[in-house]
Amino acid sequence: MELSPSLQNAYTKERLSAHEAQLRAQFIAWGPAIFQATRLMLKYGILELLREHEEGLKRNEIQEKTGLSDYAVKCLLEASLSIGTVLVDTETDRYKLAKTGWFLLIDPATRIDMDFNHDVNYEGWFRLEESFLNGKPEGLKHFGTWPTVYEGLSSLPEQVQKSWFAFDHFYSDHSFEQALRIVFDTRKPRLLFDIGGNTGKWALLCVNYDKDVRVRILDLPQQIEMMTRQVEDKAGAERIDGYGINLLDERQRFPSDQKVDAIWMSQFLDCFSMREIVSILRRASEVMDKDTRLYIMETLWDRQKYEPAAMALTMTSLYFAAIANGNSKMYNTEDMRECIETAGLTIESIHDGLGHGHSILICKLK
C-alpha cells in the first residue's frame, strides 16, 4: 500500500495512550448521539453565541437567546462538555467555546460534511451491514426504489439534493482553477468529453477558459436534461452538448463520430466498482488515439497530506456502500492504477495537491 508521509506515520504504529484509546472507544460507541447533539449546537446557534461572547455565557442566558427549554440547553451543554466542543468556568458557571467547537464553526468542509451526513446518509447507514452483505445500497430505500442514487438524484427531496450537491461540488470546485491549466495550457484540446458532467459546471468553466473548445457531456439521460436547464443562457452554452448514456450498460459505447482530444472524469470513477471502472475506461480507450489524453481527477485517500482528509474520504466509502450504489468507494492509487492498466491505458503523470486533496492522473494509450 502506498501512503503519504503523514499517513505512514498515522496508520502504521500505535500513537494513543491507554486513556486516549479508551476515550476514543467511547466516542465510537456514542457516535450517533455525539453527532446529533453537535448538529443541534450548530443549528440553534449555541456555538456561534459562545464565539461571540468570549467571556462566556450562563445557561439561562443561552436559554433566553435561543428560545430552547432549560432542559434542552442543559442536556446539550453537558453533552458538549464531554464531546469537547465547549468548556465551563466552574467559578462563574459560564460556558465558553473550545477549539473543537471553533473548528466546527469556521471549517466549511466540516459543516458541509455534517449536512451531507445528516440529510443524505444518517438514516441509510442503519442498513450498512445489509448493504455489504447484499452488494446493494440498501440504505437508499427510505428515499426511493432506484438501483443507485444517481437515477434518483433529480427526484430526491430539495434539502437532500442541496446537501448532496454542496458536498459533491465543494471538493471538486476548489480544484477546478488548477485543473483547467493542466488540461488546456499544454495540449489545447478542441473536443473534450466530460464524463458524468452532472450540472455542467465544469463544462461551463471549460468553454469560458478556452473560446475554441467544445464540450460533450456524457451522462444519464435524466442528468442531461438537468444539465441542459442549468447551462441554458450561460456564456458558452452553445459549445456544450449532451449525450445520454448509461455507463453501467457495457453495450453502450462512447460516441465516435468526431475525434476527441481530451476525456475528463472528475470525482466520477469512485461511483463505480473496479470491474465497472475497467469497463468504462476500456470504452473510453476505444475513442482515443495516441494524442488523446484521459484526465482522471480523484481524491485518492492514500495521497492525502493531512489525516483528517484521509478520514473523511475513507468514511465517504461507507456512503457509497449504503446509499450510492453498494459497490464503489474512495479508491487509493494502487486500485486506480490496476484499473487503468487493465483497461489498456498507462499513467503518463500524476499531479497532486489540487484544491482539497485532489490528484489528476493523466493517462494515454499503452
Side-chain angles (χ1 to χ4, degrees):
M1 180 180 292
E2 303 177 28
L3 293 174
S4 67
S6 63
L7 298 186
Q8 179 73 25
N9 181 58
Y11 293 167
T12 60
K13 55 188 177 183
E14 183 63 73
R15 297 175 297 160
L16 301 179
S17 67
H19 171 74
E20 291 168 334
Q22 184 182 32
L23 181 59
R24 180 78 64 92
Q26 281 292 300
F27 258 75
I28 294 169
W30 289 98
I34 289 169
F35 176 85
Q36 290 295 354
T38 304
R39 186 183 69 83
L40 294 178
M41 290 286 285
L42 287 164
K43 178 178 180 178
Y44 289 107
I46 299 175
L47 294 181
E48 183 63 45
L49 283 170
L50 295 179
R51 181 168 69 161
E52 293 171 354
H53 296 80
E54 292 186 9
E55 74 282 5
L57 290 171
K58 292 189 174 183
R59 193 176 75 239
N60 67 306
E61 294 174 320
I62 295 172
Q63 180 190 355
E64 292 171 2
K65 292 178 182 297
T66 61
L68 294 172
S69 69
D70 181 61
Y71 170 76
V73 172
K74 184 185 291 187
C75 286
L76 288 173
L77 287 174
E78 290 175 356
S80 296
L81 285 173
S82 297
I83 295 167
T85 54
V86 304
L87 301 168
V88 66
D89 184 327
T90 56
E91 293 184 1
T92 64
D93 285 337
R94 290 185 176 274
Y95 291 86
K96 298 182 179 182
L97 189 67
K99 286 182 181 179
T100 300
W102 183 79
F103 272 107
L104 283 162
L105 288 171
I106 63 95
D107 181 20
T110 299
R111 295 295 294 272
I112 285 172
D113 288 349
M114 289 197 72
D115 289 343
F116 178 65
N117 286 329
H118 178 68
D119 295 329
V120 180
N121 299 323
Y122 198 84
E123 292 181 75
W125 271 334
F126 189 79
R127 296 182 179 272
L128 179 62
E129 181 179 4
E130 294 176 54
S131 301
F132 282 137
L133 294 175
N134 299 336
K136 297 178 181 179
E138 302 292 1
L140 183 60
K141 288 179 178 177
H142 73 280
F143 287 130
T145 57
W146 314 286
T148 74
V149 74
Y150 310 107
E151 285 92 341
L153 193 56
S154 60
S155 302
L156 291 174
E158 183 178 354
Q159 182 58 43
V160 178
Q161 285 192 45
K162 181 180 177 181
S163 294
W164 192 96
F165 281 113
F167 179 82
D168 184 63
H169 288 167
F170 178 80
Y171 288 96
S172 59
D173 288 1
H174 287 82
S175 308
F176 280 164
E177 183 176 345
Q178 297 160 282
L180 287 166
R181 294 196 294 268
I182 291 171
V183 173
F184 286 98
D185 287 3
T186 301
R187 304 192 66 85
K188 306 290 184 184
R190 298 303 82 188
L191 175 61
L192 179 145
F193 282 0
D194 180 4
I195 314 301
N198 258 335
T199 60
K201 192 163 190 175
W202 165 256
L204 285 170
L205 290 171
C206 288
V207 296
N208 283 282
Y209 189 86
D210 187 312
K211 301 302 181 184
D212 296 316
V213 72
R214 291 178 297 114
V215 178
R216 179 170 292 176
I217 295 177
L218 279 64
D219 211 328
L220 291 165
Q222 56 266 42
Q223 287 300 115
I224 295 296
E225 292 179 13
M226 182 188 296
M227 176 277 297
T228 302
R229 294 193 299 269
Q230 291 286 331
V231 305
E232 189 177 12
D233 299 327
K234 301 287 197 311
E238 70 280 0
R239 285 181 283 122
I240 299 173
D241 63 39
Y243 184 88
I245 183 173
N246 179 4
L247 289 159
L248 288 173
D249 185 348
E250 296 186 357
R251 298 168 298 178
Q252 298 190 31
R253 323 309 277 190
F254 286 25
S256 56
D257 55 317
Q258 300 177 61
K259 171 180 166 54
V260 60
D261 303 298
I263 300 175
W264 173 257
M265 300 180 180
S266 172
Q267 287 186 189
F268 173 72
L269 293 181
D270 53 45
C271 301
F272 301 93
S273 70
M274 290 180 68
R275 184 191 64 78
E276 291 165 344
I277 291 173
V278 171
S279 171
I280 292 167
L281 293 178
R282 277 180 175 155
R283 282 175 279 160
S285 72
E286 293 173 352
V287 300
M288 295 172 65
D289 61 25
K290 64 181 180 62
D291 297 318
T292 309
R293 292 298 180 269
L294 170 66
Y295 300 86
I296 299 172
M297 187 165 82
E298 287 287 345
T299 42
L300 301 168
W301 71 259
D302 61 322
R303 305 183 78 87
Q304 298 306 304
K305 187 176 180 181
Y306 301 109
E307 188 179 351
M311 180 180 183
L313 293 173
T314 54
M315 294 301 107
T316 300
S317 292
L318 306 183
Y319 146 75
F320 283 113
I323 306 294
N325 52 40
N327 61 13
S328 74
K329 64 189 295 292
M330 301 306 295
Y331 292 101
N332 60 26
T333 310
E334 182 181 359
D335 292 334
M336 199 57 65
R337 181 180 288 111
E338 178 182 337
C339 292
I340 289 166
E341 294 183 352
T342 303
L345 302 168
T346 187
I347 298 175
E348 183 177 59
S349 60
I350 301 178
H351 298 260
D352 288 323
L354 283 74
H356 292 285
H358 277 79
S359 298
I360 290 183
L361 288 69
I362 304 180
C363 307
K364 63 179 181 179
L365 292 173
K366 281 186 181 178

